[in-house]
Amino acid sequence: MSASGKDSVTIAVNGSNRSLTAPVLHGTLGPSVVDIRKLYADLGMFTYDPGYGGTAAVESKITYIDGDEGVLLYRGYPIEQLAEKSTFLETAYLLLNGELPNASEREAFENGVIRHTMLHEQIRQFFNGFRRDAHPMAVMCGVVGALSAFYHDSLDINDPDSRRISAFRLIAKVPTIAAWTHKYNVGQPFMYPRNDLGYAENFLYMFHAVPAEPYTVNPILARAMDLILILHADHEQNASTSTVRLAGSTGANPFACIAAGIASLWGPAHGGANEAVLKMLSEIGSVSNIPDFIRKVKDKNSNVRLMGFGHRVYKNYDPRAKIMQKTCHEVLSELGIKDDPLLELAMELEKIALNDPYFVERKLYPNVDFYSGIILKAMGFSTSMFTALFAVARTIGWISQWEEMSRDPEQRIGRPRQLYTGSQRRDFVPVAERS
Ligand code: CMC
């Protein structure tokens, strides 16, 4: 971040002689920012920006998005290159440490993660406290938050070694928790992790295998899973990442912060969208019902949205959606699914929406979730697991952003202000005197 003396913005209060000359700070890519930290001290005012659409709340070196051009970079590397050439754990190392690892760093990182995949045996008991039909995200919030009660040795957030071991524990244990959540839902025995398998492979094994028979993970599906994890690994200062940072800014421990991120991810406007897409496609039912559905989406009184379309930042095709679409075809072909009615419906819906002025004028394009649900369903995941899988992938993004925040000398407790529009000061009236 740099500020040159001549770059500034002057904010003048009309009708008074008060003004603020605010420095303009420049990043390495993307829009510059106006540093308004002195606004309240100098002008006695706050900025008003519901949804933070025009506010940079942090300085970050991790992920860059150019929403107009449809560009996504992790530590400078295009998502398309990482999707094609990297693995999830290598990408995780990159996000966490800033550089791609050399061969020995990569091996040490992978071994570090793999050594932490098991859960404390007492954590098994936690699952029994949930109803069998509990939503996986409810279980994930509870069990991930509960990890803080098991790792007192690594809760000192000012100690880099503690932060590092917590990062390993989270990246390694979240897939085990997600897989066990599913096993609990369907009433099958929990499968213990296998450290001889790759990260995505092990996850598929814990999810699909049963102790009664051998299970071999299909390598094409393991690669597709790894790719899905890479695509969802980080996405700049989105709602759940900002939630993790806000919780972390208070000094809360990383397990509690990631549990907060999981809660934030759950909503249908964020990570819950892939589940919502599949529900929407099932409700539409057939290609002939698409025009009627699109009419409802465009009717402002209906509250119906085309799920998997639109994004706060991308005003172009989400680059992840393009990769997802290709992977979707590969997975369906590997599984021998020739004519998937949901995929057919999704492709027709996409074609119609991309040519409809309502979507074109608002720059609404498919996002990452438009196709991910179809792939995940084909791979045997229940719809309610979709957001939990997103949480497995995003844990590395959350922990990388939390780590960056922990090292940032400018980090302060997150504390937004407000425009108060409630009552003026008034005196309490006893109940007998109220009309
Ligand atoms: N269907 C129909 N209309 C839409 C949609 C949609 N999916 N998304 C936005 N619009 C309209 C919206 O009604 C508004 O119209 P108008 O200007 O006439 O009032 C205009 O487009 C701008 O929308 P907005 O709500 O101001 O945009 P936002 O940046 O606040 O919302 C969003 C972004 C992702 C919440 C929204 O596009 C949405 O709800 N999409 C569907 C849910 C979804 O797919 N979410 C996954 C996001 S990607 C995964 C992730 O990162 O979590």
Side-chain angles (χ1 to χ4, degrees):
M1 179 169 61
S2 66
S4 81
K6 61 181 169 31
D7 290 346
S8 61
V9 166
T10 299
I11 303 169
V13 182
N14 291 338
S16 93
N17 58 3
R18 288 184 301 154
S19 70
L20 168 77
T21 299
V24 173
L25 309 178
H26 305 289
T28 44
L29 284 171
S32 300
V33 301
V34 182
D35 178 353
I36 49 90
R37 276 176 287 188
K38 290 200 173 146
L39 188 72
Y40 180 63
D42 289 7
L43 299 186
M45 291 179 189
F46 301 129
T47 53
Y48 183 62
D49 184 19
Y52 313 115
T55 298
V58 301
E59 182 195 335
S60 181
K61 294 180 169 53
I62 302 176
T63 293
Y64 174 75
I65 303 171
D66 183 332
D68 293 324
E69 296 298 324
V71 169
L72 170 61
L73 310 177
Y74 291 167
R75 300 281 190 183
Y77 295 101
I79 191 68
E80 294 81 358
Q81 291 184 22
L82 292 168
E84 192 191 332
K85 298 176 182 162
S86 188
T87 62
F88 175 68
L89 278 186
E90 185 179 65
T91 301
Y93 181 101
L94 172 71
L95 286 167
L96 192 58
N97 298 293
E99 296 298 335
L100 285 168
N102 63 28
S104 61
E105 286 165 340
R106 185 176 139 149
E107 196 187 335
F109 184 76
E110 287 176 356
N111 289 338
V113 171
I114 281 168
R115 271 214 326 274
H116 289 100
T117 48
M118 287 203 301
L119 298 176
H120 192 293
E121 253 328 87
Q122 263 175 274
I123 290 179
R124 285 183 72 108
Q125 316 302 328
F126 275 67
F127 288 84
N128 295 330
F130 289 94
R131 278 174 52 142
R132 281 278 172 200
D133 60 357
H135 193 284
M137 288 296 274
V139 182
M140 295 277 289
C141 281
V143 178
V144 172
L147 292 179
S148 5
F150 287 81
Y151 299 108
H152 295 280
D153 62 331
S154 64
L155 297 187
D156 179 359
I157 58 159
N158 297 313
D159 172 28
D161 290 337
S162 288
R163 296 204 301 268
R164 188 157 187 80
I165 187 102
S166 295
F168 276 126
R169 284 174 173 155
L170 277 156
I171 304 162
K173 292 181 198 307
V174 164
T176 314
I177 295 171
W180 284 17
T181 296
H182 163 72
K183 290 295 188 194
Y184 186 72
N185 275 168
V186 296
Q188 288 179 0
F190 296 147
M191 295 301 288
Y192 285 93
R194 272 185 46 195
N195 293 353
D196 59 321
L197 301 179
Y199 189 85
E201 207 182 359
N202 174 50
F203 177 66
L204 292 178
Y205 166 80
M206 288 189 291
F207 191 91
H208 289 301
V210 289
E213 55 192 48
Y215 182 84
T216 309
V217 180
N218 178 327
I220 293 181
L221 300 189
R223 176 61 194 146
M225 188 75 237
D226 203 63
L227 185 80
I228 291 170
L229 297 177
I230 294 175
L231 295 183
H232 287 85
D234 194 46
H235 213 230
E236 206 226 66
Q237 308 308 322
N238 56 81
S240 58
T241 301
S242 298
T243 302
V244 169
R245 280 189 178 255
L246 202 54
S249 78
T250 68
N253 73 68
F255 304 103
C257 294
I258 301 304
I262 293 172
S264 174
L265 185 73
W266 194 351
H270 192 7
N274 49 15
E275 186 176 343
V277 169
L278 227 64
K279 194 161 165 274
M280 173 188 79
L281 293 175
S282 310
E283 277 166 12
I284 297 174
S286 81
V287 170
S288 61
N289 294 332
I290 293 179
D292 196 38
F293 177 75
I294 295 276
R295 248 192 309 281
K296 276 194 223 139
V297 168
K298 293 197 285 191
D299 175 2
K300 285 284 159 210
N301 300 317
S302 76
N303 267 336
V304 177
R305 285 204 160 192
L306 178 52
M307 300 312 287
F309 256 68
H311 199 274
R312 168 60 61 81
V313 182
Y314 293 119
K315 302 303 169 196
N316 200 326
Y317 224 104
D318 178 341
R320 303 168 301 172
K322 281 190 187 150
I323 304 169
M324 265 317 178
Q325 193 194 40
K326 185 166 163 270
T327 310
C328 191
H329 287 288
E330 283 164 11
V331 166
L332 295 187
S333 132
E334 172 63 21
L335 293 172
I337 304 173
K338 289 215 171 49
D339 304 307
D340 181 41
L342 288 181
L343 180 62
E344 202 188 316
L345 200 55
M347 284 171 55
E348 190 58 25
L349 195 54
E350 178 183 351
K351 202 157 60 184
I352 292 174
L354 288 177
N355 288 304
D356 187 308
Y358 175 94
F359 298 93
V360 175
E361 281 158 19
R362 288 170 180 75
K363 298 188 176 169
L364 299 170
Y365 291 87
N367 60 49
V368 68
D369 289 323
F370 194 66
Y371 285 103
S372 64
I374 299 173
I375 308 180
L376 295 173
K377 180 172 177 283
M379 287 171 77
F381 292 106
S382 56
T383 320
S384 64
M385 271 306 291
F386 293 178
T387 318
L389 293 173
F390 194 157
V392 169
R394 188 54 61 85
T395 295
I396 180 57
W398 290 328
I399 204 76
S400 303
Q401 301 267 353
W402 175 83
E403 171 65 24
E404 181 177 63
M405 185 202 69
S406 303
R407 290 167 183 230
D408 184 352
E410 297 212 339
Q411 105 81 15
R412 306 165 71 200
I413 183 167
R415 177 51 170 99
R417 304 307 297 256
Q418 63 173 5
L419 173 66
Y420 176 70
T421 54
S423 295
Q424 302 276 353
R425 184 200 179 281
R426 51 184 171 166
D427 290 322
F428 182 82
V429 179
V431 67
E433 293 170 31
R434 289 177 217 155
S435 54

